[in-house]
Amino acid sequence: MRKPMRCCVLALAVLAAACSARPRVDPVSARQEVESVEHAFAATMARRDHAAFVRFLADEAVFFDNDGPLRGKAKVATAWAPLFEGASAPFSWEPTQVEVLDSGGLALSSGPVRDPSGKVVGTFNSIWRREAPGVWRIVFDKGGPACGGAR
């Protein structure tokens, strides 16, 4: 009776250890993946494609603007819709820094925001969440003044 009990306990311990192990994420490829997603997100503004922009938003996204936080995909989409009107984008952005948690579930992207002439007018900071394999959605976005080193 004791041997079967020990085997059972050992099997449960191995199973528990396997379930609690964190998945290993290659940091270089994870950063490249998020950088690629951020570039694709920024391209929606350049292409004037509001529908594509909205597909990058998490349902519970929070974007900060001058009036305070915009909470939820629908509010962010509505507030940003006017920025997609007209033939020319009012601004552009590109990531210059991307970091991903070791767990591979959250990422930060940051970089300059440029006016139509290319002048740096601000800095963006975005938090991305992996919602499914290969699917990153933005959960937080906040712009700020241009940093001293931005070009």
Side-chain angles (χ1 to χ4, degrees):
M1 184 85 159
R2 294 192 89 131
K3 187 173 183 179
M5 180 63 88
R6 280 188 293 205
C7 288
C8 216
V9 169
L10 179 60
L12 286 173
V14 170
L15 181 60
C19 289
S20 66
R22 286 185 153 177
R24 292 189 177 238
V25 174
D26 174 30
V28 173
S29 45
R31 280 193 301 272
Q32 289 171 340
E33 186 178 333
V34 174
E35 184 175 349
S36 176
V37 169
E38 181 68 66
H39 279 291
F41 183 54
T44 66
M45 179 64 75
R47 289 192 324 265
R48 322 303 294 129
D49 189 347
H50 184 256
F53 170 86
V54 173
R55 286 192 292 272
F56 284 95
L57 303 175
D59 289 340
E60 60 184 341
V62 176
F63 276 45
F64 295 85
D65 71 4
N66 294 334
D67 297 326
L70 300 166
R71 295 186 155 289
K73 184 177 191 171
K75 286 186 181 175
V76 173
T78 298
W80 276 63
L83 300 172
F84 285 84
E85 296 171 359
S88 299
F91 57 87
S92 63
W93 69 93
E94 64 181 315
T96 55
Q97 183 175 15
V98 174
E99 290 298 329
V100 180
L101 290 180
D102 290 343
S103 65
L106 285 176
L108 165 76
S109 59
S110 184
V113 176
R114 299 178 191 277
D115 70 11
S117 73
K119 178 183 174 193
V120 174
V121 294
T123 302
F124 78 90
N125 294 285
S126 299
I127 305 294
W128 295 84
R129 177 175 62 204
R130 183 188 304 270
E131 294 194 343
V135 178
W136 288 91
R137 293 223 167 72
I138 192 165
V139 289
F140 288 103
D141 182 81
K142 185 171 186 177
C147 294
R151 291 181 241 120

